[in-house]
Amino acid sequence: MGSDRARPLQRDDIAPDERLRVTEIFLSIQGEAASVGWPTVFVRLTGCPLRCRWCDTAYAFRGGGWQSLEQIEDKVAEYGVRHVCITGGEPLAQPNCRVLIARLAERGYNISIETSGTLDIAGLDPRAVVVMDIKTPGSGEQGRNRLANLDHLRVTDQAKFVLAGRADYDWACAFVREHDLTSRTNVLFSPVAGELEPRDLAEWILADRLSVCFQIQLHKSLWGNVAGR
Ligand code: SF4
């Protein structure tokens, strides 16, 4: 009986509308976006339909384990912090992610959801802040951007460009201008680690007087590029 209790949950052990496949749940310092620096519980859901060239979370493409929404909520509560980030992979690839966001928001957490920008963000719980990627040419997934999502970004949300070099930077500047993005939402520019020198990006932003927020991944400065951090 003891071993039965330790058995990992199988997909069919949990009702379809109550389960999510989870790669990891962990406590760290939020390393990017507007809530950078806050102690945050990260819920990393498994799976992603994209393959960005510079992806640093490929270990979340597959594997993980099934958990009920209640188990996830309990695990989040154990850490005792206010900020929760739902990430992946692409968390919205699992429809129950929306239910989890609503249930965590109901409990009063400050929620952010990190999404690739290629799946529909309409109808997400408005209490969650959306941090949405705009995929650049350097990612190899530029063609997947869902432009209709731009109409759902609010001034409290964030549109994030991860830039691999000057060509991505020029493309992002043109995209921001074309879609008047800085008047719709907060725009973040972040360098791909090891490909674009952060100082170069900072200099370009200053030279062009861009109204965008320079980002660097704080958690990688603290712990390096490791899972669970
Ligand atoms: S969307 Fe995110 S998780 Fe998916 S491949 Fe791109 S960087 Fe990786």
Side-chain angles (χ1 to χ4, degrees), residues 91-138:
L92 293 179
Q94 298 189 64
N96 286 342
C97 174
R98 292 170 179 266
V99 184
L100 177 66
I101 290 170
R103 282 171 53 160
L104 290 170
E106 202 55 43
R107 290 186 176 214
Y109 293 108
N110 295 340
I111 317 271
S112 59
I113 160 93
E114 296 182 338
T115 177
S116 65
T118 63
L119 301 182
D120 191 3
I121 65 166
L124 284 172
D125 191 296
R127 293 168 289 189
V129 168
V130 177
V131 182
M132 190 183 89
D133 285 356
I134 310 280
K135 296 300 180 188
T136 60

Side-chain angles (χ1 to χ4, degrees), residues 17-82:
D17 58 351
E18 280 287 322
R19 68 187 174 214
L20 280 166
R21 196 156 183 97
V22 179
T23 293
E24 55 185 353
I25 301 175
F26 59 97
L27 178 67
S28 188
I29 297 290
Q30 176 58 272
E32 48 198 325
S35 53
V36 64
W38 287 102
T40 300
V41 180
F42 290 82
V43 178
R44 189 181 305 287
L45 300 186
T46 307
C48 181
L50 277 70
R51 291 294 180 267
C52 301
R53 190 181 53 75
W54 36 252
C55 180
D56 58 2
T57 51
Y59 63 92
F61 289 167
R62 53 188 66 84
W66 292 102
Q67 295 193 31
S68 69
L69 298 180
E70 188 180 349
Q71 283 178 309
I72 298 170
E73 288 178 82
D74 289 349
K75 184 72 183 171
V76 167
E78 275 177 24
Y79 287 111
V81 300
R82 284 190 298 127

Side-chain angles (χ1 to χ4, degrees), residues 52 63 80 83 90 99 138 165 189-190 192 226:
C52 301
H83 291 263
E90 167 50 271
V99 184
F189 277 13
S190 176
V192 175
V226 293

